[in-house]
Amino acid sequence: MRHLLSMHDLDRDEVLQLLDTAASMHDVQRREVKKLPTLRGRTVVNLFFEDSTRTRSSFEIAGKWLSADVINISAKGSSVSKGESLRDTVLTVAAMGVDGLVIRHQASGAPLQVSKWIDAVVINAGDGMHEHPTQALLDAYTIRHRLGDLEGRHIAIVGDLTHSRVLRSNLICLKTLGARVTLVAPPTLMPSGIDGWAAKDGFDTSYDLDAVLPTVDGAMMLRVQRERMSGGFFPTAREYTVGYGLTRERLELLPDHAVIAHPGPMNRGLEIAADAADSARSLILDQVSAGVAVRMAVLYHALAGEQGVGERELVEGKSV
């Protein structure tokens, strides 16, 4: 794996390989000493032009547990705040001899452009409303850990689909793993051209959450991204919750085995009730835990995987 810019970069075998490696990394997470020498001597820069807690901290922990030297750079307090361009910023960072660049940017397509400017490995940590591939991988890892093979499983992705980069990556990832996917949202939050997209990629759409929930193996609730909304996409928060929130009453509609996921951060009481977020079937904290393991797997395959270390040597902590 040279770069990870989109879930389209990975086929089924590559996704499964990353998820299997993440399982080995998760075992490392449970050790008293959480350190592998795998990326010793490598330097990874986390370059974030948007605020983040989960993604940046999990990439930082992942790099450090693999013994890489990790540097965090945010737009605030850097030369970007003085007017420096994206190109000049990444060329400056790359000139320091870094091996990997993890980038989050508000512009869709920014990581792809960066990958054309520098020789270092580039990993997309979220670009505008385009994609967030490592989030999709950790979501799939978490759901798969609870439900088993996702082939034929029915997953509903519910909420603010128009503004979500998580939707696009999750849709590609889940379809790659053989899941059946249904997108559920009010008409104002369905992406433009959804009918043609659904026909081309083979997924379903619905405006009726109550009709979909009894048929699913998993419900993934997406955050209402009010900071990206410039108009009235729904009348009131209360009306959105009544129509599309995973409320206490809607929990009763889910099959007994069905799980609940949310990539976070959550708007409790809007798209998801506390009863749902904190229930035994909720995977939300598991997703946070899996984030470190999955990002360890991505960094490993991007920066050291070609050196051919086996899973046993990896878990035992032997240097590559």
Side-chain angles (χ1 to χ4, degrees):
M1 184 174 69
R2 171 58 180 160
H3 303 294
L4 181 55
L5 308 174
S6 164
M7 281 306 303
H8 281 304
D9 295 339
L10 304 172
D11 61 25
R12 178 182 172 84
D13 289 342
E14 289 170 325
V15 171
L16 291 174
Q17 183 183 42
L18 280 169
L19 298 185
D20 288 343
T21 303
S24 298
M25 297 298 185
H26 223 156
D27 290 336
V28 174
Q29 237 173 300
R30 302 182 184 98
R31 294 178 180 177
E32 185 175 349
V33 178
K34 304 174 182 65
K35 200 78 167 179
L36 295 175
T38 313
L39 296 184
R40 184 179 294 153
R42 304 295 182 95
T43 301
V44 178
V45 171
N46 295 327
L47 182 59
F48 277 59
F49 292 83
E50 285 185 324
D51 293 336
S52 170
T53 300
R54 293 164 182 78
T55 303
R56 189 171 76 170
S57 59
S58 62
F59 264 115
E60 181 179 2
I61 293 170
K64 288 181 175 178
W65 283 359
L66 289 171
S67 299
D69 296 309
V70 180
I71 301 168
N72 291 321
I73 301 175
S74 60
K76 297 173 184 177
S78 73
S79 295
V80 174
S81 62
K82 301 177 184 178
E84 186 174 64
S85 69
L86 172 63
R87 185 175 187 275
D88 287 336
T89 298
V90 298
L91 288 176
T92 298
V93 171
M96 298 177 187
V98 304
D99 300 289
L101 184 66
V102 178
I103 181 169
R104 168 170 285 193
H105 200 278
Q106 65 271 21
S108 299
L112 173 61
Q113 188 60 61
V114 168
S115 71
K116 298 176 180 179
W117 290 333
I118 63 176
D119 293 329
V121 168
V122 178
I123 297 171
N124 182 1
D127 59 330
M129 293 184 288
H130 177 229
E131 278 206 50
H132 194 352
T134 59
Q135 181 67 49
L137 289 167
L138 74 88
D139 292 341
Y141 174 88
T142 309
I143 297 171
R144 185 171 176 253
H145 183 72
R146 182 72 67 91
L147 296 180
D149 187 4
L150 297 185
E151 183 73 39
R153 293 289 194 175
H154 184 198
I155 308 297
I157 303 178
V158 186
D160 183 0
L161 308 181
T162 292
H163 302 99
S164 177
R165 55 191 170 210
V166 172
L167 160 68
R168 288 156 178 81
S169 291
N170 263 295
L171 184 55
I172 298 165
C173 185
L174 290 169
K175 291 297 294 179
T176 299
L177 293 173
R180 173 191 167 202
V181 180
T182 299
L183 306 187
V184 186
T188 52
L189 291 175
M190 278 285 187
S192 176
I194 190 67
D195 291 337
W197 184 13
K200 176 178 177 290
D201 288 358
F203 59 87
D204 300 318
T205 61
S206 176
Y207 302 117
D208 189 345
L209 180 58
D210 293 331
V212 172
L213 287 179
T215 71
V216 303
D217 299 293
M220 182 179 297
M221 309 305 296
L222 299 183
R223 181 172 66 90
V224 175
Q225 299 188 41
R226 286 177 284 194
E227 74 278 8
R228 297 183 186 272
M229 296 180 181
S230 56
F233 286 83
F234 46 86
T236 65
R238 173 63 181 163
E239 188 162 338
Y240 180 88
T241 301
V242 169
Y244 294 94
L246 188 56
T247 60
R248 177 188 301 176
E249 293 74 23
R250 285 198 172 103
L251 280 176
E252 301 299 321
L253 298 177
L254 288 168
D256 291 340
H257 71 279
V259 297
I260 298 166
H262 193 305
M266 294 181 288
N267 293 309
R268 284 176 179 259
L270 182 56
E271 73 266 1
I272 187 168
D275 300 80
D278 300 329
S279 69
R281 63 174 73 208
S282 171
L283 302 178
I284 295 170
L285 289 180
D286 297 303
Q287 289 172 271
V288 176
S289 176
V292 176
V294 167
R295 286 164 179 139
M296 287 175 74
V298 168
L299 289 173
Y300 163 69
H301 281 284
L303 293 170
E306 293 182 359
Q307 298 184 42
V309 65
E311 292 291 331
R312 180 177 177 183
E313 289 79 3
L314 179 66
V315 174
E316 290 175 354
K318 295 179 181 177
S319 174
V320 298

